[in-house]
Amino acid sequence: MSALADKVIFLTGGAAGIGKACALAYLRAGAKVAVMDKDEDALKDLENEISRQLLCAISGSVTSGEEVKAALEKTVATFGKIDVIHNNAGIANPSKPLDQTTDEEWDNLFDINLKSVLRTTRYGIGHLKKTKGCILNTSSMVGGIGQENHAAYVATKGGMSALTKAMALDYAPFGVRVNAVCPAGVWTPMLRKWSAEQPDRAGIEQYLDNIHALGYCPEGDVIADVAVFLISDAARFVTGCVMPVSGGAELGYKK
């Protein structure tokens, strides 16, 4: 039997990058997936790749409680239940130290990266209690080891990792598991665009390879494979885990 047979997954930020890799991996593993994303063009592209019977594409922003609530309700109306909520939506900009970060930039990062988890949990936990499902959060290694010129982003990901553990304790009595995946560098459209804009593109690509002890910056599929495991019944006794999927980056940069 497929690892995620009969599972229904609600995934935020799933139309591109790591989110899209996860959506495709979930579908290959037998799940049905509802993807909420504010990028309507990327959502349409995803719909064109996938059977409408297996995918529910929902345009909306995780910064709106009403839109999150409506998206969760549409998922249940379409597929009958929710087994998994994967909180993947996030942004990394601006690239600044703390004293140069504006209040608006700080608030926007926290609203998208962290408060979105409050919204999906507030409106989705009742569904997960019914199915004894689970929550997966996309965090980042920088939340534990830091990153220069990304203070607000690092703060959101450190908060995401800590929040994962608190949520695991709160919802364990209901049979609901909560875990996180922690990538380091991953080639996504956003990262490729950023690297192409750098003066020394070759040097940047070498740097991104070098921060991983295994020697290369991966594609999103390596994150997706671990995500499939963490939301599957194979991980039924795993909760509160903040799982590095980082090629050993947390062990120390090679250069």
Side-chain angles (χ1 to χ4, degrees):
M1 181 179 290
S2 299
L4 301 180
D6 301 321
K7 301 287 188 185
V8 174
I9 300 163
F10 178 81
L11 169 65
T12 66
I18 290 173
K20 181 179 180 180
C22 287
L24 295 175
Y26 296 159
L27 289 160
R28 286 194 300 269
K32 296 176 181 177
V33 182
V35 173
M36 181 183 186
D37 204 296
K38 67 179 183 180
D39 188 336
E40 294 186 5
D41 290 336
L43 274 177
K44 289 177 183 177
D45 289 342
L46 185 63
E47 280 187 300
N48 289 334
E49 291 183 41
I50 297 167
S51 166
R52 299 291 180 90
Q53 293 180 327
L54 301 176
L55 178 75
C56 177
I58 305 168
S59 176
S61 173
V62 294
T63 63
S64 167
E66 287 304 310
E67 291 184 17
V68 169
K69 182 180 180 182
L72 288 160
E73 290 174 348
K74 183 175 180 179
T75 302
V76 174
T78 302
F79 295 131
K81 62 173 182 171
I82 297 175
D83 296 288
V84 180
I85 293 174
H86 182 171
N87 295 298
N88 178 74
I91 60 171
N93 293 325
S95 176
K96 296 179 179 180
L98 185 61
D99 65 290
Q100 297 176 26
T101 303
T102 68
D103 285 358
E104 182 180 5
E105 289 167 338
W106 175 275
D107 290 344
N108 190 47
L109 267 161
F110 272 83
D111 200 19
I112 294 171
N113 290 10
L114 203 55
K115 195 172 182 180
S116 58
V117 182
L118 167 65
R119 298 183 181 104
T120 60
T121 305
R122 175 177 288 159
Y123 298 116
I125 191 63
H127 298 296
L128 297 183
K129 288 178 179 178
K130 291 178 183 177
T131 58
K132 294 191 182 299
C134 64
I135 295 171
L136 181 65
N137 298 323
T138 300
S139 188
S140 170
M141 286 309 307
V142 303
I145 64 176
Q147 183 181 25
E148 62 184 355
N149 292 323
H150 285 83
Y153 174 72
V154 170
T156 65
K157 292 305 184 179
M160 174 75 88
S161 295
L163 181 60
T164 296
K165 296 180 180 183
M167 292 168 67
L169 291 171
D170 285 339
Y171 302 123
F174 303 97
V176 175
R177 300 182 299 108
V178 186
N179 294 296
V181 286
C182 274
V186 176
W187 283 119
T188 63
M190 185 184 302
L191 184 60
R192 290 190 186 281
K193 180 177 183 297
W194 175 83
S195 66
E197 293 169 350
Q198 303 310 303
D200 181 13
R201 180 175 181 178
I204 287 293
E205 292 189 3
Q206 188 63 53
Y207 165 77
L208 290 167
D209 286 340
N210 285 344
I211 65 173
H212 303 87
L214 291 180
Y216 66 96
C217 185
E219 302 286 340
D221 62 303
V222 302
I223 312 301
D225 286 347
V226 175
V228 168
F229 164 71
L230 286 172
I231 67 173
S232 75
D233 291 342
R236 61 193 175 277
F237 206 61
V238 179
T239 196
C241 174
V242 180
M243 175 76 76
V245 192
S246 57
E250 71 279 10
L251 304 177
Y253 291 174
K254 293 194 298 179
K255 294 181 182 179

